[in-house]
Amino acid sequence: MNTRPIGVFDSGLGGLTAMHTLGKRLPNETFIYFGDTARVPYGGRSEATLLKYARQDVAFLKSFKPKVLVIACGTVSTTCLEQLQQENSLPIIGVVEPTCLQALHATKNGRIGMIATQASVRSGAYERMLHRLDPDVDVFCHPCPLLVPMVENGRMHRGDIVIETLVKEYLAPLKAKGIDTLMLGCTHYPLLWDVIGKEMGPSVTLISAGAAVATAVETLLEDSHMEAPQTSDSHRSFYVSDEVESFTRNASLFLQEDLHQVVRRIDIDQY
């Protein structure tokens, strides 16, 4: 048994989709969430800049002495995970391997698509992981650079002609490839589940990176006997690097519940 918290970070609000699933599956755990809202989105940054930001995010969360760190950010998971794991002794889980494992389990024709930020697609991390797990699978990746800012600004619902048009344009090349499984390689994208699902149709299975990483964390805690006891006084704390009002206002959409906790702003450049 281990009552230390679980640290979770993302470039902004997207990681809250992972937090939502983690909280449902692990109700006795304490979570510390950091959203780097002052520097969102991460998707178009260079690898050097991403590593600098990720190291600062990790350093802040380590101040709470967590038992596990969750990179609820597809961009950091694809570009910095291995480096961060080498530099830190505590377990660090990213979204790539868990998402790929679920996609391989779901596909029937071996043709898997992935949408994510430009940095995630450029890294080639999903292709490498899928081909390591199954050399015969066909993988098709497509960057969607405008989806994160659209979601962050609340443009995520069916009937919104702007987001529906954008999603249609982004998904057209993947539909043409005949995929039967689509990985949502960014934790913002589950908020677009209905829009993406409508465009891809019922024959394509969607895989959420946030839900996949929650499964991986649950398994790690069980295998390592690090679960918090059922009598644990669990709670959630939220921190951001920019103003708190918009985060607090929009967080309920990502968490699928009202955010009752106080959100605190920190100076991430101190870390």
Side-chain angles (χ1 to χ4, degrees):
M1 296 294 179
N2 190 321
T3 58
R4 288 159 56 199
I6 296 171
V8 183
F9 77 87
D10 182 42
S11 60
L13 287 155
L16 294 174
T17 61
M19 275 278 287
H20 170 70
T21 307
L22 282 163
K24 293 293 185 182
R25 294 187 182 179
L26 303 168
N28 301 313
E29 301 291 342
T30 289
F31 295 94
I32 309 294
Y33 182 87
F34 172 63
D36 194 3
T37 51
R39 304 186 294 202
V40 68
Y42 278 9
R45 311 285 186 172
S46 69
E47 289 190 19
T49 298
L50 287 170
L51 183 57
K52 173 188 173 183
Y53 289 177
R55 282 171 169 159
Q56 290 176 312
D57 300 343
V58 168
F60 169 66
L61 288 174
K62 284 179 68 176
S63 68
F64 296 93
K65 296 180 171 49
K67 57 186 174 184
V68 179
L69 281 182
V70 178
I71 303 177
C73 175
T75 300
V76 174
S77 295
T78 55
T79 57
C80 307
L81 176 61
E82 185 174 344
Q83 184 71 28
L84 294 174
Q85 288 173 331
Q86 291 173 356
E87 295 173 355
N88 297 274
S89 58
L90 79 167
I92 301 180
I93 297 179
V95 300
V96 178
E97 184 171 6
T99 307
C100 290
L101 286 169
Q102 287 200 3
L104 285 172
H105 181 74
T107 187
K108 294 179 174 60
N109 69 2
R111 300 177 71 80
I112 298 173
M114 190 277 288
I115 54 174
T117 65
Q118 289 175 317
S120 291
V121 172
R122 186 172 60 241
S123 74
Y126 281 91
E127 295 99 319
R128 288 194 301 273
M129 178 60 67
L130 282 168
H131 286 142
R132 181 171 71 80
L133 297 168
D134 183 351
D136 297 324
V137 73
D138 293 317
V139 188
F140 308 96
C141 300
H142 194 70
C144 304
L146 296 180
L147 293 190
V148 168
M150 290 290 286
V151 170
E152 292 269 341
N153 284 280
R155 308 297 294 267
M156 63 186 78
H157 302 294
R158 285 180 62 171
D160 185 323
I161 188 65
V162 176
I163 192 61
E164 288 189 343
T165 301
L166 189 60
V167 166
K168 182 180 182 66
E169 179 180 333
Y170 281 149
L171 296 181
L174 297 178
K175 291 180 70 174
K177 296 295 185 181
I179 64 170
D180 74 344
T181 304
L182 178 63
M183 299 183 294
L184 309 186
C186 173
T187 47
H188 283 72
Y189 295 177
L191 273 297
L192 295 168
W193 191 276
D194 289 344
V195 178
I196 293 171
K198 175 187 175 184
E199 181 60 28
M200 295 306 296
S203 63
V204 176
T205 300
L206 305 185
I207 305 295
S208 165
V213 78
T215 299
V217 172
E218 184 176 21
T219 300
L220 171 67
L221 294 181
E222 291 175 353
D223 292 347
S224 304
H225 306 290
M226 292 195 298
E227 310 103 309
Q230 292 188 359
T231 56
S232 178
D233 183 19
S234 62
H235 62 275
R236 300 180 300 179
S237 299
F238 297 87
Y239 297 85
V240 294
S241 55
D242 203 356
E243 54 91 17
V244 303
E245 286 79 9
S246 61
F247 181 91
T248 303
R249 185 171 59 250
N250 295 323
S252 60
L253 295 173
F254 289 76
L255 289 169
Q256 299 178 40
E257 62 183 270
D258 290 337
L259 179 62
H260 300 293
Q261 292 84 355
V262 173
V263 179
R264 297 176 175 85
R265 181 184 182 275
I266 60 105
D267 182 2
I268 192 62
D269 288 324
Q270 292 184 353
Y271 295 87

